Each structure stands twice: as C-alpha cells, then as structure tokens.
mmCIF file of all heavy atoms in Angstrom:
data_model
loop_
_atom_site.group_PDB
_atom_site.id
_atom_site.type_symbol
_atom_site.label_atom_id
_atom_site.label_comp_id
_atom_site.label_asym_id
_atom_site.label_seq_id
_atom_site.Cartn_x
_atom_site.Cartn_y
_atom_site.Cartn_z
ATOM 1 N N MET A 27 0.853 -1.164 0.000
ATOM 2 C CA MET A 27 0.000 0.000 0.000
ATOM 3 C C MET A 27 0.902 1.231 0.000
ATOM 4 O O MET A 27 1.805 1.348 0.806
ATOM 5 C CB MET A 27 -0.913 -0.030 1.235
ATOM 6 C CG MET A 27 -2.004 0.963 1.158
ATOM 7 S SD MET A 27 -3.392 0.884 2.348
ATOM 8 C CE MET A 27 -2.990 -0.200 3.610
ATOM 9 N N SER A 28 0.614 2.153 -0.901
ATOM 10 C CA SER A 28 1.453 3.345 -1.022
ATOM 11 C C SER A 28 1.058 4.401 0.009
ATOM 12 O O SER A 28 -0.018 4.338 0.616
ATOM 13 C CB SER A 28 1.326 3.921 -2.428
ATOM 14 O OG SER A 28 0.039 4.470 -2.615
ATOM 15 N N ILE A 29 1.910 5.369 0.172
ATOM 16 C CA ILE A 29 1.653 6.467 1.112
ATOM 17 C C ILE A 29 0.411 7.243 0.677
ATOM 18 O O ILE A 29 -0.407 7.632 1.516
ATOM 19 C CB ILE A 29 2.881 7.408 1.184
ATOM 20 C CG1 ILE A 29 4.098 6.657 1.695
ATOM 21 C CG2 ILE A 29 2.587 8.624 2.026
ATOM 22 C CD1 ILE A 29 3.968 6.153 3.107
ATOM 23 N N LEU A 30 0.256 7.459 -0.641
ATOM 24 C CA LEU A 30 -0.915 8.173 -1.151
ATOM 25 C C LEU A 30 -2.207 7.433 -0.808
ATOM 26 O O LEU A 30 -3.196 8.048 -0.410
ATOM 27 C CB LEU A 30 -0.801 8.368 -2.658
ATOM 28 C CG LEU A 30 -1.966 9.092 -3.323
ATOM 29 C CD1 LEU A 30 -2.086 10.514 -2.787
ATOM 30 C CD2 LEU A 30 -1.808 9.083 -4.815
ATOM 31 N N THR A 31 -2.201 6.120 -0.936
ATOM 32 C CA THR A 31 -3.379 5.324 -0.609
ATOM 33 C C THR A 31 -3.713 5.418 0.872
ATOM 34 O O THR A 31 -4.883 5.527 1.239
ATOM 35 C CB THR A 31 -3.156 3.848 -0.996
ATOM 36 O OG1 THR A 31 -2.788 3.771 -2.364
ATOM 37 C CG2 THR A 31 -4.410 3.034 -0.769
ATOM 38 N N ILE A 32 -2.714 5.398 1.714
ATOM 39 C CA ILE A 32 -2.946 5.510 3.159
ATOM 40 C C ILE A 32 -3.527 6.876 3.497
ATOM 41 O O ILE A 32 -4.499 6.984 4.259
ATOM 42 C CB ILE A 32 -1.636 5.265 3.931
ATOM 43 C CG1 ILE A 32 -1.188 3.820 3.762
ATOM 44 C CG2 ILE A 32 -1.822 5.589 5.416
ATOM 45 C CD1 ILE A 32 0.192 3.536 4.288
ATOM 46 N N ILE A 33 -2.960 7.929 2.921
ATOM 47 C CA ILE A 33 -3.463 9.280 3.188
ATOM 48 C C ILE A 33 -4.899 9.424 2.700
ATOM 49 O O ILE A 33 -5.760 9.967 3.412
ATOM 50 C CB ILE A 33 -2.541 10.334 2.538
ATOM 51 C CG1 ILE A 33 -1.187 10.337 3.235
ATOM 52 C CG2 ILE A 33 -3.173 11.723 2.571
ATOM 53 C CD1 ILE A 33 -0.124 11.148 2.535
ATOM 54 N N LEU A 34 -5.199 8.932 1.495
ATOM 55 C CA LEU A 34 -6.568 9.016 0.984
ATOM 56 C C LEU A 34 -7.527 8.160 1.808
ATOM 57 O O LEU A 34 -8.688 8.534 1.988
ATOM 58 C CB LEU A 34 -6.618 8.588 -0.476
ATOM 59 C CG LEU A 34 -6.133 9.612 -1.481
ATOM 60 C CD1 LEU A 34 -6.138 9.008 -2.885
ATOM 61 C CD2 LEU A 34 -6.978 10.862 -1.444
ATOM 62 N N SER A 35 -7.057 7.030 2.302
ATOM 63 C CA SER A 35 -7.916 6.174 3.131
ATOM 64 C C SER A 35 -8.308 6.865 4.420
ATOM 65 O O SER A 35 -9.401 6.634 4.937
ATOM 66 C CB SER A 35 -7.208 4.859 3.456
ATOM 67 O OG SER A 35 -7.047 4.088 2.301
ATOM 68 N N VAL A 36 -7.427 7.698 4.937
ATOM 69 C CA VAL A 36 -7.735 8.412 6.178
ATOM 70 C C VAL A 36 -8.591 9.649 5.899
ATOM 71 O O VAL A 36 -9.543 9.919 6.624
ATOM 72 C CB VAL A 36 -6.431 8.796 6.917
ATOM 73 C CG1 VAL A 36 -6.721 9.697 8.097
ATOM 74 C CG2 VAL A 36 -5.707 7.549 7.372
ATOM 75 N N LEU A 37 -8.276 10.385 4.848
ATOM 76 C CA LEU A 37 -8.998 11.631 4.577
ATOM 77 C C LEU A 37 -10.324 11.401 3.848
ATOM 78 O O LEU A 37 -11.351 11.967 4.235
ATOM 79 C CB LEU A 37 -8.116 12.577 3.755
ATOM 80 C CG LEU A 37 -6.848 13.057 4.443
ATOM 81 C CD1 LEU A 37 -6.043 13.920 3.494
ATOM 82 C CD2 LEU A 37 -7.174 13.807 5.718
ATOM 83 N N LEU A 38 -10.298 10.617 2.786
ATOM 84 C CA LEU A 38 -11.491 10.358 1.970
ATOM 85 C C LEU A 38 -11.583 8.862 1.651
ATOM 86 O O LEU A 38 -11.188 8.425 0.568
ATOM 87 C CB LEU A 38 -11.422 11.159 0.663
ATOM 88 C CG LEU A 38 -11.392 12.668 0.808
ATOM 89 C CD1 LEU A 38 -11.018 13.309 -0.516
ATOM 90 C CD2 LEU A 38 -12.719 13.176 1.296
ATOM 91 N N PRO A 39 -12.114 8.087 2.575
ATOM 92 C CA PRO A 39 -12.124 6.631 2.387
ATOM 93 C C PRO A 39 -12.779 6.151 1.089
ATOM 94 O O PRO A 39 -12.215 5.290 0.411
ATOM 95 C CB PRO A 39 -12.876 6.113 3.615
ATOM 96 C CG PRO A 39 -12.743 7.183 4.630
ATOM 97 C CD PRO A 39 -12.652 8.473 3.877
ATOM 98 N N PRO A 40 -13.946 6.686 0.687
ATOM 99 C CA PRO A 40 -14.542 6.181 -0.558
ATOM 100 C C PRO A 40 -13.667 6.453 -1.789
ATOM 101 O O PRO A 40 -13.611 5.637 -2.699
ATOM 102 C CB PRO A 40 -15.873 6.918 -0.666
ATOM 103 C CG PRO A 40 -16.215 7.279 0.730
ATOM 104 C CD PRO A 40 -14.901 7.560 1.386
ATOM 105 N N LEU A 41 -12.980 7.580 -1.814
ATOM 106 C CA LEU A 41 -12.110 7.887 -2.945
ATOM 107 C C LEU A 41 -10.957 6.900 -3.031
ATOM 108 O O LEU A 41 -10.601 6.440 -4.123
ATOM 109 C CB LEU A 41 -11.576 9.312 -2.839
ATOM 110 C CG LEU A 41 -10.636 9.762 -3.951
ATOM 111 C CD1 LEU A 41 -11.348 9.723 -5.294
ATOM 112 C CD2 LEU A 41 -10.096 11.141 -3.664
ATOM 113 N N ALA A 42 -10.387 6.536 -1.908
ATOM 114 C CA ALA A 42 -9.289 5.567 -1.898
ATOM 115 C C ALA A 42 -9.762 4.204 -2.407
ATOM 116 O O ALA A 42 -9.063 3.557 -3.191
ATOM 117 C CB ALA A 42 -8.722 5.435 -0.492
ATOM 118 N N VAL A 43 -10.944 3.784 -1.989
ATOM 119 C CA VAL A 43 -11.483 2.498 -2.453
ATOM 120 C C VAL A 43 -11.801 2.578 -3.941
ATOM 121 O O VAL A 43 -11.525 1.645 -4.697
ATOM 122 C CB VAL A 43 -12.728 2.094 -1.632
ATOM 123 C CG1 VAL A 43 -13.384 0.860 -2.217
ATOM 124 C CG2 VAL A 43 -12.345 1.862 -0.182
ATOM 125 N N PHE A 44 -12.355 3.701 -4.387
ATOM 126 C CA PHE A 44 -12.682 3.874 -5.806
ATOM 127 C C PHE A 44 -11.432 3.794 -6.673
ATOM 128 O O PHE A 44 -11.437 3.153 -7.727
ATOM 129 C CB PHE A 44 -13.390 5.208 -6.027
ATOM 130 C CG PHE A 44 -13.564 5.563 -7.470
ATOM 131 C CD1 PHE A 44 -14.504 4.912 -8.240
ATOM 132 C CD2 PHE A 44 -12.775 6.530 -8.056
ATOM 133 C CE1 PHE A 44 -14.667 5.224 -9.579
ATOM 134 C CE2 PHE A 44 -12.926 6.868 -9.390
ATOM 135 C CZ PHE A 44 -13.872 6.203 -10.159
ATOM 136 N N LEU A 45 -10.354 4.436 -6.253
ATOM 137 C CA LEU A 45 -9.133 4.438 -7.052
ATOM 138 C C LEU A 45 -8.499 3.046 -7.144
ATOM 139 O O LEU A 45 -7.859 2.724 -8.147
ATOM 140 C CB LEU A 45 -8.123 5.436 -6.481
ATOM 141 C CG LEU A 45 -8.511 6.901 -6.628
ATOM 142 C CD1 LEU A 45 -7.485 7.788 -5.934
ATOM 143 C CD2 LEU A 45 -8.660 7.286 -8.089
ATOM 144 N N GLN A 46 -8.677 2.222 -6.134
ATOM 145 C CA GLN A 46 -8.096 0.882 -6.151
ATOM 146 C C GLN A 46 -8.998 -0.151 -6.832
ATOM 147 O O GLN A 46 -8.520 -1.033 -7.522
ATOM 148 C CB GLN A 46 -7.813 0.405 -4.717
ATOM 149 C CG GLN A 46 -6.721 1.150 -4.024
ATOM 150 C CD GLN A 46 -5.350 0.806 -4.577
ATOM 151 O OE1 GLN A 46 -5.128 -0.283 -5.076
ATOM 152 N NE2 GLN A 46 -4.443 1.756 -4.489
ATOM 153 N N HIS A 47 -10.328 -0.026 -6.631
ATOM 154 C CA HIS A 47 -11.240 -1.092 -7.067
ATOM 155 C C HIS A 47 -12.319 -0.643 -8.042
ATOM 156 O O HIS A 47 -13.065 -1.483 -8.545
ATOM 157 C CB HIS A 47 -11.921 -1.735 -5.852
ATOM 158 C CG HIS A 47 -10.949 -2.323 -4.884
ATOM 159 N ND1 HIS A 47 -10.318 -3.517 -5.108
ATOM 160 C CD2 HIS A 47 -10.468 -1.861 -3.698
ATOM 161 C CE1 HIS A 47 -9.507 -3.784 -4.095
ATOM 162 N NE2 HIS A 47 -9.575 -2.786 -3.233
ATOM 163 N N GLY A 48 -12.469 0.657 -8.281
ATOM 164 C CA GLY A 48 -13.521 1.148 -9.158
ATOM 165 C C GLY A 48 -14.867 1.145 -8.459
ATOM 166 O O GLY A 48 -14.978 0.895 -7.266
ATOM 167 N N ILE A 49 -15.903 1.431 -9.250
ATOM 168 C CA ILE A 49 -17.256 1.444 -8.684
ATOM 169 C C ILE A 49 -17.753 0.005 -8.631
ATOM 170 O O ILE A 49 -17.818 -0.683 -9.641
ATOM 171 C CB ILE A 49 -18.201 2.310 -9.531
ATOM 172 C CG1 ILE A 49 -17.753 3.761 -9.450
ATOM 173 C CG2 ILE A 49 -19.640 2.175 -9.042
ATOM 174 C CD1 ILE A 49 -18.582 4.711 -10.263
ATOM 175 N N GLY A 50 -18.095 -0.406 -7.442
ATOM 176 C CA GLY A 50 -18.560 -1.779 -7.239
ATOM 177 C C GLY A 50 -19.052 -1.941 -5.815
ATOM 178 O O GLY A 50 -19.395 -0.973 -5.126
ATOM 179 N N LYS A 51 -19.079 -3.186 -5.391
ATOM 180 C CA LYS A 51 -19.594 -3.511 -4.064
ATOM 181 C C LYS A 51 -18.754 -2.876 -2.961
ATOM 182 O O LYS A 51 -19.301 -2.309 -2.014
ATOM 183 C CB LYS A 51 -19.633 -5.030 -3.904
ATOM 184 C CG LYS A 51 -20.250 -5.504 -2.610
ATOM 185 C CD LYS A 51 -20.395 -7.005 -2.600
ATOM 186 C CE LYS A 51 -19.229 -7.594 -1.853
ATOM 187 N NZ LYS A 51 -19.367 -9.049 -1.647
ATOM 188 N N GLN A 52 -17.443 -2.947 -3.080
ATOM 189 C CA GLN A 52 -16.572 -2.389 -2.043
ATOM 190 C C GLN A 52 -16.730 -0.872 -1.933
ATOM 191 O O GLN A 52 -16.704 -0.318 -0.842
ATOM 192 C CB GLN A 52 -15.110 -2.749 -2.315
ATOM 193 C CG GLN A 52 -14.825 -4.218 -2.244
ATOM 194 C CD GLN A 52 -15.094 -4.813 -0.874
ATOM 195 O OE1 GLN A 52 -14.967 -4.152 0.153
ATOM 196 N NE2 GLN A 52 -15.491 -6.071 -0.853
ATOM 197 N N PHE A 53 -16.876 -0.205 -3.077
ATOM 198 C CA PHE A 53 -17.074 1.242 -3.073
ATOM 199 C C PHE A 53 -18.374 1.607 -2.379
ATOM 200 O O PHE A 53 -18.421 2.530 -1.562
ATOM 201 C CB PHE A 53 -17.065 1.784 -4.505
ATOM 202 C CG PHE A 53 -17.356 3.248 -4.590
ATOM 203 C CD1 PHE A 53 -16.423 4.180 -4.179
ATOM 204 C CD2 PHE A 53 -18.568 3.705 -5.082
ATOM 205 C CE1 PHE A 53 -16.680 5.539 -4.251
ATOM 206 C CE2 PHE A 53 -18.838 5.050 -5.166
ATOM 207 C CZ PHE A 53 -17.893 5.973 -4.752
ATOM 208 N N LEU A 54 -19.451 0.893 -2.679
ATOM 209 C CA LEU A 54 -20.747 1.164 -2.054
ATOM 210 C C LEU A 54 -20.694 0.938 -0.552
ATOM 211 O O LEU A 54 -21.213 1.749 0.221
ATOM 212 C CB LEU A 54 -21.820 0.279 -2.686
ATOM 213 C CG LEU A 54 -23.243 0.492 -2.197
ATOM 214 C CD1 LEU A 54 -23.699 1.917 -2.489
ATOM 215 C CD2 LEU A 54 -24.176 -0.504 -2.846
ATOM 216 N N ILE A 55 -20.054 -0.125 -0.118
ATOM 217 C CA ILE A 55 -19.903 -0.389 1.312
ATOM 218 C C ILE A 55 -19.106 0.734 1.977
ATOM 219 O O ILE A 55 -19.458 1.195 3.065
ATOM 220 C CB ILE A 55 -19.232 -1.756 1.552
ATOM 221 C CG1 ILE A 55 -20.165 -2.882 1.118
ATOM 222 C CG2 ILE A 55 -18.832 -1.929 3.014
ATOM 223 C CD1 ILE A 55 -19.514 -4.240 1.088
ATOM 224 N N SER A 56 -18.066 1.190 1.304
ATOM 225 C CA SER A 56 -17.250 2.269 1.859
ATOM 226 C C SER A 56 -18.049 3.561 2.002
ATOM 227 O O SER A 56 -17.929 4.260 3.007
ATOM 228 C CB SER A 56 -16.030 2.498 0.975
ATOM 229 O OG SER A 56 -15.245 3.533 1.488
ATOM 230 N N VAL A 57 -18.861 3.882 1.014
ATOM 231 C CA VAL A 57 -19.691 5.089 1.083
ATOM 232 C C VAL A 57 -20.682 4.992 2.236
ATOM 233 O O VAL A 57 -20.838 5.932 3.020
ATOM 234 C CB VAL A 57 -20.433 5.324 -0.249
ATOM 235 C CG1 VAL A 57 -21.484 6.406 -0.114
ATOM 236 C CG2 VAL A 57 -19.443 5.678 -1.349
ATOM 237 N N ILE A 58 -21.333 3.854 2.375
ATOM 238 C CA ILE A 58 -22.323 3.673 3.439
ATOM 239 C C ILE A 58 -21.660 3.762 4.813
ATOM 240 O O ILE A 58 -22.172 4.435 5.710
ATOM 241 C CB ILE A 58 -23.065 2.327 3.267
ATOM 242 C CG1 ILE A 58 -23.953 2.386 2.027
ATOM 243 C CG2 ILE A 58 -23.885 1.986 4.504
ATOM 244 C CD1 ILE A 58 -24.543 1.060 1.619
ATOM 245 N N LEU A 59 -20.516 3.107 4.977
ATOM 246 C CA LEU A 59 -19.827 3.155 6.269
ATOM 247 C C LEU A 59 -19.322 4.560 6.588
ATOM 248 O O LEU A 59 -19.337 4.981 7.746
ATOM 249 C CB LEU A 59 -18.668 2.158 6.297
ATOM 250 C CG LEU A 59 -19.065 0.696 6.396
ATOM 251 C CD1 LEU A 59 -17.853 -0.202 6.253
ATOM 252 C CD2 LEU A 59 -19.771 0.417 7.706
ATOM 253 N N THR A 60 -18.879 5.285 5.580
ATOM 254 C CA THR A 60 -18.408 6.650 5.807
ATOM 255 C C THR A 60 -19.571 7.568 6.183
ATOM 256 O O THR A 60 -19.410 8.458 7.017
ATOM 257 C CB THR A 60 -17.673 7.180 4.568
ATOM 258 O OG1 THR A 60 -16.607 6.287 4.258
ATOM 259 C CG2 THR A 60 -17.103 8.560 4.820
ATOM 260 N N ILE A 61 -20.726 7.357 5.601
ATOM 261 C CA ILE A 61 -21.904 8.144 5.965
ATOM 262 C C ILE A 61 -22.317 7.840 7.397
ATOM 263 O O ILE A 61 -22.683 8.745 8.152
ATOM 264 C CB ILE A 61 -23.068 7.876 4.980
ATOM 265 C CG1 ILE A 61 -22.741 8.506 3.621
ATOM 266 C CG2 ILE A 61 -24.386 8.435 5.510
ATOM 267 C CD1 ILE A 61 -23.714 8.139 2.529
ATOM 268 N N LEU A 62 -22.259 6.569 7.778
ATOM 269 C CA LEU A 62 -22.636 6.190 9.140
ATOM 270 C C LEU A 62 -21.651 6.699 10.177
ATOM 271 O O LEU A 62 -22.021 6.961 11.313
ATOM 272 C CB LEU A 62 -22.769 4.666 9.254
ATOM 273 C CG LEU A 62 -23.938 4.052 8.490
ATOM 274 C CD1 LEU A 62 -23.873 2.535 8.566
ATOM 275 C CD2 LEU A 62 -25.252 4.564 9.020
ATOM 276 N N GLY A 63 -20.406 6.796 9.792
ATOM 277 C CA GLY A 63 -19.376 7.277 10.708
ATOM 278 C C GLY A 63 -18.039 7.258 10.010
ATOM 279 O O GLY A 63 -17.738 6.339 9.258
ATOM 280 N N TRP A 64 -17.239 8.249 10.277
ATOM 281 C CA TRP A 64 -15.965 8.375 9.580
ATOM 282 C C TRP A 64 -15.020 7.223 9.920
ATOM 283 O O TRP A 64 -14.362 6.673 9.026
ATOM 284 C CB TRP A 64 -15.339 9.719 9.953
ATOM 285 C CG TRP A 64 -13.999 9.949 9.359
ATOM 286 C CD1 TRP A 64 -13.723 10.226 8.053
ATOM 287 C CD2 TRP A 64 -12.754 9.902 10.043
ATOM 288 N NE1 TRP A 64 -12.374 10.368 7.887
ATOM 289 C CE2 TRP A 64 -11.745 10.172 9.103
ATOM 290 C CE3 TRP A 64 -12.385 9.670 11.362
ATOM 291 C CZ2 TRP A 64 -10.410 10.206 9.440
ATOM 292 C CZ3 TRP A 64 -11.050 9.708 11.692
ATOM 293 C CH2 TRP A 64 -10.085 9.975 10.731
ATOM 294 N N VAL A 65 -14.962 6.828 11.177
ATOM 295 C CA VAL A 65 -14.026 5.786 11.614
ATOM 296 C C VAL A 65 -14.319 4.439 10.939
ATOM 297 O O VAL A 65 -13.380 3.794 10.447
ATOM 298 C CB VAL A 65 -14.013 5.652 13.157
ATOM 299 C CG1 VAL A 65 -13.171 4.480 13.600
ATOM 300 C CG2 VAL A 65 -13.515 6.943 13.781
ATOM 301 N N PRO A 66 -15.571 3.973 10.867
ATOM 302 C CA PRO A 66 -15.807 2.710 10.152
ATOM 303 C C PRO A 66 -15.410 2.781 8.677
ATOM 304 O O PRO A 66 -14.902 1.809 8.120
ATOM 305 C CB PRO A 66 -17.313 2.484 10.290
ATOM 306 C CG PRO A 66 -17.723 3.267 11.462
ATOM 307 C CD PRO A 66 -16.799 4.443 11.528
ATOM 308 N N GLY A 67 -15.603 3.926 8.057
ATOM 309 C CA GLY A 67 -15.195 4.097 6.665
ATOM 310 C C GLY A 67 -13.692 4.011 6.500
ATOM 311 O O GLY A 67 -13.189 3.397 5.553
ATOM 312 N N VAL A 68 -12.950 4.609 7.415
ATOM 313 C CA VAL A 68 -11.487 4.561 7.365
ATOM 314 C C VAL A 68 -10.999 3.130 7.587
ATOM 315 O O VAL A 68 -10.117 2.657 6.860
ATOM 316 C CB VAL A 68 -10.867 5.514 8.409
ATOM 317 C CG1 VAL A 68 -9.380 5.288 8.527
ATOM 318 C CG2 VAL A 68 -11.162 6.954 8.058
ATOM 319 N N ILE A 69 -11.548 2.451 8.555
ATOM 320 C CA ILE A 69 -11.137 1.070 8.837
ATOM 321 C C ILE A 69 -11.406 0.180 7.625
ATOM 322 O O ILE A 69 -10.548 -0.603 7.218
ATOM 323 C CB ILE A 69 -11.854 0.539 10.098
ATOM 324 C CG1 ILE A 69 -11.358 1.297 11.333
ATOM 325 C CG2 ILE A 69 -11.644 -0.964 10.251
ATOM 326 C CD1 ILE A 69 -12.161 1.020 12.582
ATOM 327 N N HIS A 70 -12.570 0.327 7.037
ATOM 328 C CA HIS A 70 -12.917 -0.475 5.853
ATOM 329 C C HIS A 70 -11.970 -0.172 4.690
ATOM 330 O O HIS A 70 -11.490 -1.086 4.021
ATOM 331 C CB HIS A 70 -14.370 -0.223 5.452
ATOM 332 C CG HIS A 70 -14.770 -0.950 4.216
ATOM 333 N ND1 HIS A 70 -14.769 -0.362 2.983
ATOM 334 C CD2 HIS A 70 -15.156 -2.234 4.018
ATOM 335 C CE1 HIS A 70 -15.154 -1.249 2.072
ATOM 336 N NE2 HIS A 70 -15.394 -2.390 2.693
ATOM 337 N N ALA A 71 -11.695 1.097 4.457
ATOM 338 C CA ALA A 71 -10.804 1.477 3.357
ATOM 339 C C ALA A 71 -9.406 0.913 3.562
ATOM 340 O O ALA A 71 -8.780 0.431 2.612
ATOM 341 C CB ALA A 71 -10.762 2.988 3.206
ATOM 342 N N LEU A 72 -8.905 0.965 4.790
ATOM 343 C CA LEU A 72 -7.575 0.432 5.049
ATOM 344 C C LEU A 72 -7.521 -1.084 4.874
ATOM 345 O O LEU A 72 -6.556 -1.628 4.333
ATOM 346 C CB LEU A 72 -7.121 0.820 6.455
ATOM 347 C CG LEU A 72 -6.780 2.305 6.652
ATOM 348 C CD1 LEU A 72 -6.547 2.596 8.115
ATOM 349 C CD2 LEU A 72 -5.577 2.698 5.820
ATOM 350 N N ILE A 73 -8.570 -1.764 5.308
ATOM 351 C CA ILE A 73 -8.606 -3.223 5.172
ATOM 352 C C ILE A 73 -8.731 -3.636 3.705
ATOM 353 O O ILE A 73 -8.027 -4.522 3.222
ATOM 354 C CB ILE A 73 -9.755 -3.825 6.011
ATOM 355 C CG1 ILE A 73 -9.435 -3.689 7.499
ATOM 356 C CG2 ILE A 73 -9.998 -5.284 5.635
ATOM 357 C CD1 ILE A 73 -10.568 -4.072 8.407
ATOM 358 N N VAL A 74 -9.617 -2.977 2.978
ATOM 359 C CA VAL A 74 -9.858 -3.335 1.568
ATOM 360 C C VAL A 74 -8.624 -3.035 0.724
ATOM 361 O O VAL A 74 -8.270 -3.812 -0.156
ATOM 362 C CB VAL A 74 -11.095 -2.583 1.033
ATOM 363 C CG1 VAL A 74 -11.188 -2.674 -0.474
ATOM 364 C CG2 VAL A 74 -12.346 -3.132 1.666
ATOM 365 N N ASN A 75 -7.967 -1.918 0.974
ATOM 366 C CA ASN A 75 -6.825 -1.532 0.156
ATOM 367 C C ASN A 75 -5.528 -2.198 0.587
ATOM 368 O O ASN A 75 -4.510 -2.043 -0.080
ATOM 369 C CB ASN A 75 -6.661 -0.013 0.164
ATOM 370 C CG ASN A 75 -7.737 0.664 -0.621
ATOM 371 O OD1 ASN A 75 -8.262 0.085 -1.564
ATOM 372 N ND2 ASN A 75 -8.091 1.857 -0.241
ATOM 373 N N ASN A 76 -5.557 -2.932 1.666
ATOM 374 C CA ASN A 76 -4.347 -3.619 2.111
ATOM 375 C C ASN A 76 -4.157 -4.826 1.312
ATOM 376 O O ASN A 76 -3.703 -5.457 0.714
ATOM 377 C CB ASN A 76 -4.447 -4.006 3.583
ATOM 378 C CG ASN A 76 -3.134 -4.492 4.120
ATOM 379 O OD1 ASN A 76 -2.112 -4.409 3.482
ATOM 380 N ND2 ASN A 76 -3.176 -5.005 5.305
#
C-alpha cells in the first residue's frame, strides 16, 4: 500500500477504495460506512486496500 493510498484512506475513504477497485460492491460499502461514521469508513478502506 502506497503512502498516497494511506493518506486518501484516512482523509477520503470512498475515494481511496474507488481508485483501487472502481465502482462496485466495495465502493458502495465504503460510502455507506463513511456516511454512518468516519471511523468505520477509514477502517474499511484500510482493510480493503491492504
């Protein structure tokens, strides 16, 4: 995982997932988790992009 991916995962989790996986199931899950709370979105983005 690159430094840019880590920074984007912390600041904008859905964008980091989108750049790695495109629009799909993981992106939708990331958006929903980020809306529900920033921390779950960050955790999901870090796990998915790892």
Side-chain angles (χ1 to χ4, degrees):
M27 192 168 12
S28 69
I29 298 296
L30 179 63
T31 305
I32 293 170
I33 293 170
L34 282 176
S35 292
V36 172
L37 296 177
L38 298 167
L41 179 61
V43 173
F44 171 74
L45 291 176
Q46 292 288 332
H47 301 283
I49 294 179
K51 185 173 98 173
Q52 296 298 330
F53 176 72
L54 183 61
I55 292 170
S56 180
V57 169
I58 291 170
L59 287 173
T60 303
I61 289 172
L62 292 174
W64 177 73
V65 174
V68 170
I69 293 170
H70 177 263
L72 289 172
I73 290 172
V74 167
N75 289 331
N76 190 9

